[in-house]
Amino acid sequence: MKETVIDKFVRMCYDGFLQGWHERNGGNLSYRLDEEDIKEVEKLFVKEARHIEMPMAFEDLKGKYFLVTGSGKYMRNVPLAPEKNIGIIRIDDTGNGYDILWGLEDGAKPTSELPTHLLNHQVRYKATCGNCKVVYHAHPANITALSYTIEADSKILSRILWQSETECAVVFPEGVGIVDWMVPGQVGIARATAKLIEKYSAVVWAFHGIFGTGFDFDEAFGLVHTIEKASEIYLKAKSAGIVRTITDSQLLELAEAFNVKLNPEFLEV
């Protein structure tokens, strides 16, 4: 049987839980549906949708459909009852609100981080010519721990990750952004994240977690997984005592071999 877009969404929620990235109701996921996806799920839409206003407008997302996780919902419960823990929303024609078309039963609402998700979608849609569909927020332990050991500087963070695992420079040659600590679920942190995610496919929230984006579920999940593993390697190496690391010259060799362009602002050669 063909895996539906809802099946794929549910699987990613649970994959993140199995990694230990979603304690309690931590983390959230959103996916922008394309026309084919909408045709696949529109038979599920309710006749009378609940309408909810938002604290800010999203002009560029008018009429767009999104699969989203629910506020206060646990990722471990998503496979057990998708219709209660996730839902499909449509941004209204003003961009100021949305209609809940499926799921989020019993009065549930989308994640409290919805403003950040939608701003990220809006920005990444433009940055990737409409190809980016997934925005994923998780709480991996190692990247969060790493943020306690450095200043909130994207160059410092990116170089650590590039030098900690060979594939990192290939997976995110633009680097990784980092936002210093702010209260989550607010417009301020949404705007700060969106400013960076225009340049980087992933942005770390200091002392909190990470936002990763991608063209599809595999790319977004793989991006976060790669960053988390590199962070784990770095922390283990640092605790044991780092003697040597990947040099900038070697990073450039790697970039040439895999035909990627490293962010020149983050190189020291």
Side-chain angles (χ1 to χ4, degrees):
M1 183 180 295
K2 179 184 176 183
E3 191 177 36
T4 68
V5 66
I6 293 178
D7 292 334
K8 295 174 183 177
F9 189 94
V10 168
R11 180 160 62 90
M12 181 158 167
C13 289
Y14 196 60
D15 282 347
F17 168 72
L18 293 177
Q19 290 293 327
W21 299 346
H22 299 289
E23 74 294 336
R24 200 171 181 273
N25 63 318
N28 24 76
L29 174 65
S30 64
Y31 171 82
R32 177 174 55 81
L33 283 73
D34 60 24
E35 291 184 9
E36 185 176 336
D37 296 323
I38 295 168
K39 290 179 181 178
E40 181 181 82
V41 300
E42 60 186 355
K43 60 182 178 293
L44 303 174
F45 293 169
V46 297
K47 293 182 179 180
E48 295 185 9
R50 277 190 290 144
H51 183 78
I52 297 177
E53 291 293 308
M54 294 188 287
M56 58 190 299
F58 297 92
E59 294 284 332
D60 295 337
L61 298 180
K62 294 177 183 177
K64 302 292 186 188
Y65 294 74
F66 294 90
L67 253 170
V68 295
T69 48
S71 178
K73 301 301 182 180
Y74 292 46
M75 291 292 198
R76 69 186 294 267
N77 292 333
V78 172
L80 302 177
E83 66 282 355
K84 294 183 181 297
N85 294 284
I86 65 175
I88 296 174
I89 65 172
R90 177 188 179 274
I91 309 302
D92 66 25
D93 294 333
T94 69
N96 289 293
Y98 58 85
D99 295 315
I100 299 176
L101 303 177
W102 172 82
L104 295 172
E105 294 180 351
D106 303 324
K109 295 181 180 180
T111 169
S112 61
E113 300 291 358
L114 186 63
T116 301
H117 277 261
L118 294 179
L119 262 182
N120 287 347
H121 276 290
Q122 194 164 261
V123 170
R124 292 303 290 174
Y125 186 90
K126 291 180 180 179
T128 64
C129 300
N131 289 316
C132 181
K133 292 183 179 180
V134 182
V135 173
Y136 179 44
H137 175 48
H139 297 168
N142 291 291
I143 186 60
T144 304
L146 197 161
S147 73
Y148 283 85
T149 71
I150 62 172
E151 296 298 322
D153 183 292
S154 298
K155 178 179 179 178
I156 293 173
L157 174 62
S158 298
R159 287 182 58 80
I160 284 173
L161 296 173
W162 282 352
Q163 293 175 331
S164 296
E165 169 61 52
T166 297
E167 70 172 333
C168 286
V170 178
V171 175
F172 45 91
E174 75 279 10
V176 173
I178 183 169
V179 171
D180 209 352
W181 189 89
M182 299 176 71
V183 176
Q186 308 293 314
V187 172
I189 197 169
R191 294 192 187 282
T193 307
K195 184 177 181 181
L196 288 179
I197 218 156
E198 184 176 6
K199 298 187 291 184
Y200 312 111
S201 55
V203 173
V204 171
W205 281 3
F207 321 146
H208 184 142
I210 187 171
F211 267 87
T213 65
F215 298 169
D216 57 23
F217 296 109
D218 285 343
E219 184 180 54
F221 190 88
L223 174 63
V224 172
H225 203 180
T226 303
I227 292 170
E228 172 64 358
K229 185 175 182 181
S231 301
E232 180 181 9
I233 291 169
Y234 170 75
L235 293 173
K236 286 180 176 178
K238 186 176 182 181
S239 67
I242 296 174
V243 175
R244 61 196 186 102
T245 188
I246 301 170
T247 67
D248 283 37
S249 296
Q250 291 170 330
L251 288 172
L252 288 171
E253 285 184 52
L254 187 67
E256 183 178 359
F258 285 87
N259 195 31
V260 297
K261 181 176 175 55
L262 294 175
N263 185 341
E265 296 178 8
F266 292 172
L267 293 171
E268 296 182 350
V269 292

